[in-house]
Amino acid sequence: MSKNSGLKQLILLFLIAGFTMQAQTVRKYSNEFLNIGVDARAFGMSNAMTANTGDVNSGYWNPAGLTKLEDKQLSLMHASYFANIANYDYAAFAMPLDKESAVAFSLIRFGVDDILNTTQLIDDQGQINYDRISLFSTADYAGTFSYARRLPLDGFSFGVNAKVVRRIIGDFANSWGFGLDAGLQFESNNNWQFGLMARDITTTFNAWSIDEDKFADIQGAVAGQNQELPETTEITIPKLQLGAAKKFTYDHDFTLLTEVDFNFRFAETNDIISSSSVSMTPSLGLEFGYIEMIYVRTGFGNVQNTVKLDGSESTSLQPNLGVGFKYKGIAVDYALTDIGDSSATLYSNVFSVTLDWDIFR
């Protein structure tokens, strides 16, 4: 059996375990695929984007940034995780409505395909029958509509997201969800930028539909299992991001964009600062530019308190690197990143491209 097949079966076991445990309605980690991020430029800067974002990808990072658009834009991204087992894809389109407002549409998919379903491997006579193995896929989808508008106060913009979440785990279970985000940006006359992004402000929910026959098959496949059906409503608690950024220009040709973000969850987690009611982890992003064409990026984020196997504690952080090239409305970006502790997760290559309608003029 190949290494990938073994990993896919491991993923299946985790999925089954998750749906055969009695779950709480409000979960500390829910719809986590929506927290990974989008756009290789952002990944290269460790997702420190709340304040400086101002293109088509603002629909994800802070919809208030869409007011900086001057023309229509299209963005595409692909990334693979876990030795190319999981695929992460993103597409977005944005356009200004007038000088004061803009809209955007985006779609995210995070999926694992061709997972081996071995729950029926052993037949009624207790014999192993490989013909009873089937394949299934698990995928998470999110579609988002964003609207942004400049405020009457000089330098201020706001934006909102309405998102629909669709999650599918083969024939075992599926869900629909809905939630809202809201963002605010302020840009001063001396190149300082500030951003506030509140995610899941209405507590995004997922209403699950579980196939009871499939659930019974899973119970019967493992001796001694007597779990009850899990709850069918999953709540995603709000998150808050605060950011401050500034762009420096040297000799007209060289630029340095810096941003620091503070990411809050209203729950106790392994973040570097954590209490029973709120947790926070910072992220720092740097972007070095030359003649607004060539970019080198780096960043540090996801600072966590970790417990080792021997019981000792340590602090980990996630470093990221990236490069970019922009010419006449075409931006191609690359980032070397991961979605967890760099000592435990393989790094992944992320590619994205952004097209500005200026190229057609």
Side-chain angles (χ1 to χ4, degrees), residues 98-247:
D98 49 43
K99 293 183 179 180
E100 304 297 326
S101 60
V103 294
F105 306 88
S106 64
L107 180 65
I108 290 175
R109 181 188 187 271
F110 189 92
V112 179
D113 299 306
D114 296 330
I115 303 172
L116 293 178
N117 179 4
T118 60
T119 59
Q120 302 302 308
L121 178 61
I122 300 176
D123 61 25
D124 296 336
Q125 287 73 44
Q127 302 296 317
I128 295 177
N129 186 345
Y130 291 102
D131 292 336
R132 293 164 64 91
I133 295 178
S134 58
L135 299 176
F136 76 99
S137 297
T138 175
D140 297 330
Y141 300 88
T144 302
F145 169 76
S146 307
Y147 174 79
R149 188 170 185 84
R150 297 186 187 275
L151 291 172
L153 298 173
D154 187 34
F156 282 91
S157 299
F158 82 96
V160 292
N161 289 338
K163 55 190 178 186
V164 177
V165 180
R166 175 68 167 163
R167 305 183 65 185
I168 302 172
I169 302 179
D171 295 329
F172 303 103
N174 64 83
S175 74
W176 287 98
F178 177 78
L180 296 174
D181 306 328
L184 184 69
Q185 275 190 346
F186 169 71
E187 185 170 1
S188 68
N189 294 328
N190 57 357
N191 290 331
W192 276 101
Q193 301 174 81
F194 301 92
L196 169 67
M197 179 62 173
R199 299 184 183 276
D200 305 303
I201 57 176
T202 56
T203 61
T204 298
F205 74 92
N206 287 83
W208 284 93
S209 174
I210 301 170
D211 189 312
E212 295 189 18
D213 292 334
K214 294 288 184 181
F215 185 84
D217 289 342
I218 294 173
Q219 287 184 308
V222 183
Q225 298 298 302
N226 60 353
Q227 289 92 345
E228 298 178 357
L229 281 170
E231 297 180 15
T232 56
T233 302
E234 178 183 350
I235 302 297
T236 304
I237 58 178
K239 294 173 285 293
L240 189 68
Q241 295 171 277
L242 298 172
K246 187 170 184 178
K247 188 174 183 178

Side-chain angles (χ1 to χ4, degrees), residues 243-255:
K246 187 170 184 178
K247 188 174 183 178
F248 303 89
T249 302
Y250 305 95
D251 296 329
H252 302 289
D253 291 335
F254 298 90
T255 59

